[in-house]
């Protein structure tokens, strides 16, 4: 099993996401969901802990199972991100959309664009 550790700029993510944590799922779906918010939502979902979880210190997260994490990400994108098969910009649900397969290399590029970097040394390396 290949595990990878990533360290987001947690203060930035936390500031962006904590304001939305009090929102209901309906309110969340009606707001625009960007990639860091989506990752935070997955990390807060107890069912995803076998695939991805925060490290004990809470400053970085580890992907335990790439395939399962990509499945979670695909499902969350479909449900919460406009233009990815989920809700539209006007808040209406277009109905079920085919699940889009996300490639690992595409995901790592996207994480780099959002300054979520892979930990290559130290205790959190993975």
């Amino acid at each position: 099993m290949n595990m990878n550790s990533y360290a987001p700029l947690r203060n930035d993510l936390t500031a962006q996401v904590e304001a939305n944590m009090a929102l209901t799922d309906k309110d969340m779906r009606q707001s625009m969901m960007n990639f860091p918010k989506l990752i935070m939502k997955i990390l807060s979902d107890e069912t995803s802990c076998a695939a991805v979880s925060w490290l004990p210190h809470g400053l970085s997260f580890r992907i335990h199972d790439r395939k399962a994490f990509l499945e979670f990400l695909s499902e969350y994108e479909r449900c919460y991100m406009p233009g990815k098969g989920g809700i539209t910009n006007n808040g209406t649900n277009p109905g079920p959309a085919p699940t889009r397969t996300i490639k690992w290399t595409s995901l790592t590029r996207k994480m780099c664009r959002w300054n979520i970097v892979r930990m290559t040394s130290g205790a959190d390396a993975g």
Side-chain angles (χ1 to χ4, degrees):
M1 184 182 320
N2 191 356
M3 293 190 290
N4 299 291
S5 297
Y6 292 88
L9 300 176
R10 180 112 200 264
N11 294 335
D12 294 341
L13 287 176
T14 304
Q16 291 175 9
V17 175
E18 281 180 350
N20 290 327
M21 293 306 268
L23 298 175
T24 65
D25 280 344
K26 182 179 178 184
D27 293 332
M28 185 68 79
R29 284 191 295 270
Q30 290 176 348
S31 67
M32 287 293 285
M33 177 78 74
N34 64 26
F35 183 71
K37 290 179 185 177
L38 190 69
I39 296 294
M40 292 292 285
K41 188 148 181 73
I42 293 170
L43 284 164
S44 67
D45 184 351
E46 292 178 5
T47 62
S48 68
C49 65
V52 61
S53 63
W54 285 110
L55 292 176
H57 52 65
L59 299 175
S60 58
F61 62 92
R62 176 165 284 159
I63 298 172
H64 307 288
D65 184 349
R66 285 183 183 185
K67 184 177 179 183
F69 178 69
L70 292 174
E71 289 173 7
F72 270 105
L73 190 60
S74 295
E75 182 63 26
Y76 272 74
E77 274 192 351
R78 189 182 67 75
C79 292
Y80 294 104
M81 294 184 78
K84 304 280 186 184
I87 61 166
T88 60
N89 287 331
N90 63 6
T92 62
N93 190 336
T99 304
R100 188 174 74 95
T101 304
I102 298 172
K103 295 181 181 171
W104 181 255
T105 54
S106 174
L107 174 65
T108 56
R109 279 194 305 271
K110 186 181 259 190
M111 286 196 286
C112 285
R113 285 194 304 267
W114 283 95
N115 292 325
I116 301 172
V117 296
R118 184 172 181 191
M119 305 298 289
T120 57
S121 63
D124 297 335

